[in-house]
Amino acid sequence: MIRPLDSASSSPLHFFGYFLDHRSEDLGWLWDHTWLSVVPVVVGLALALPLGWLARRYQWIYPPMMSITGLLYTIPSIALFVLIPPVLGMDPLNPLQVPIALSLYSTALLVRVVADGLGAVSEETVQAATALGYRPVGRFFRVELPIAVPVITAGLRVAIVANVSIVAVAGTIGMDNLGRLFDQGFTLSVSQPYYPPIVLGIVLCVLLALVLDLLVVLVSRMLTPWRRAVPS
């Protein structure tokens, strides 16, 4: 529950005190924000892998697919949040509209990344893998995809940080996440600006983005141990 405005300082530096006063609610929103940021990237990557492979395998598909995904990514997030429920026959406040919208954004961003990452695999490498007996599916998962991991990782880092930012917008339409802190700050700024929840929302979003970005980097390092090899 939000305490009256006169019970706490409105200074931006009071954000930690505000967190202590509302930590249960804020931690719940942090968890909501986390899964809303991560799940769409996982779904987007799962969809982007076959689409990116098709765009790289059949060159005539690449231009129209990149145009379509590029246009999709330019749709304002708030418009997509509003359009998805009636299109899918969902309740306007159904929380699934946010991960669905962000999955579309993530897919649109990652298709190009996957296609370009696979395109960075040299033809000599592909021919060598084929000569060693790899069939197309095995060659993709055991040779081409691992080599493309660094490029794909760069796209994942952009996607997941972008999602942390976009999810906050959903707080303005009543979805539970850290964006609710911004809404509270503006609501309480009646007679004078009330900064603590706004600053707290910014701090938690930045920390969440940094942690998720670090996790992506660590997973990438685990998947590409040969990049850490040092010549003797």
Side-chain angles (χ1 to χ4, degrees), residues 116-138:
D116 292 346
L118 294 175
V121 181
S122 66
E123 185 62 28
E124 291 79 6
T125 301
V126 174
Q127 292 177 357
T130 303
L132 289 173
Y134 284 105
R135 295 184 178 276
V137 174

Side-chain angles (χ1 to χ4, degrees), residues 36-170:
L36 285 172
S37 301
V38 173
V39 171
V41 174
V42 175
V43 174
L45 179 61
L47 295 174
L49 284 175
L51 292 176
W53 179 84
L54 286 173
R56 181 50 56 186
R57 177 68 176 80
Y58 304 100
Q59 292 296 321
W60 62 271
I61 295 180
Y62 186 92
M65 185 176 292
M66 296 307 110
S67 297
I68 292 172
T69 55
L71 289 173
L72 179 61
Y73 202 75
T74 62
I75 300 175
S77 58
I78 190 68
L80 204 55
F81 292 151
V82 173
L83 288 173
I84 283 179
V87 170
L88 298 182
M90 301 166 58
D91 184 272
L93 293 180
N94 191 318
L96 288 178
Q97 65 178 284
V98 177
I100 291 174
L102 292 180
S103 294
L104 292 175
Y105 277 131
S106 298
T107 303
L109 177 63
L110 293 174
V111 165
R112 178 184 294 273
V113 173
V114 171
D116 292 346
L118 294 175
V121 181
S122 66
E123 185 62 28
E124 291 79 6
T125 301
V126 174
Q127 292 177 357
T130 303
L132 289 173
Y134 284 105
R135 295 184 178 276
V137 174
R139 186 181 65 211
F140 173 77
F141 284 105
R142 301 187 64 180
V143 178
E144 298 176 51
L145 187 57
I147 295 175
V149 163
V151 176
I152 296 174
T153 297
L156 285 174
R157 296 176 68 183
V158 173
I160 205 161
V161 170
N163 276 4
V164 171
S165 176
I166 297 173
V167 167
V169 177

Side-chain angles (χ1 to χ4, degrees), residues 172-187:
T172 63
I173 59 174
M175 298 300 169
D176 286 342
N177 59 68
L178 294 176
R180 296 291 294 275
L181 288 168
F182 304 131
D183 186 52
Q184 286 185 354
F186 292 129
T187 300

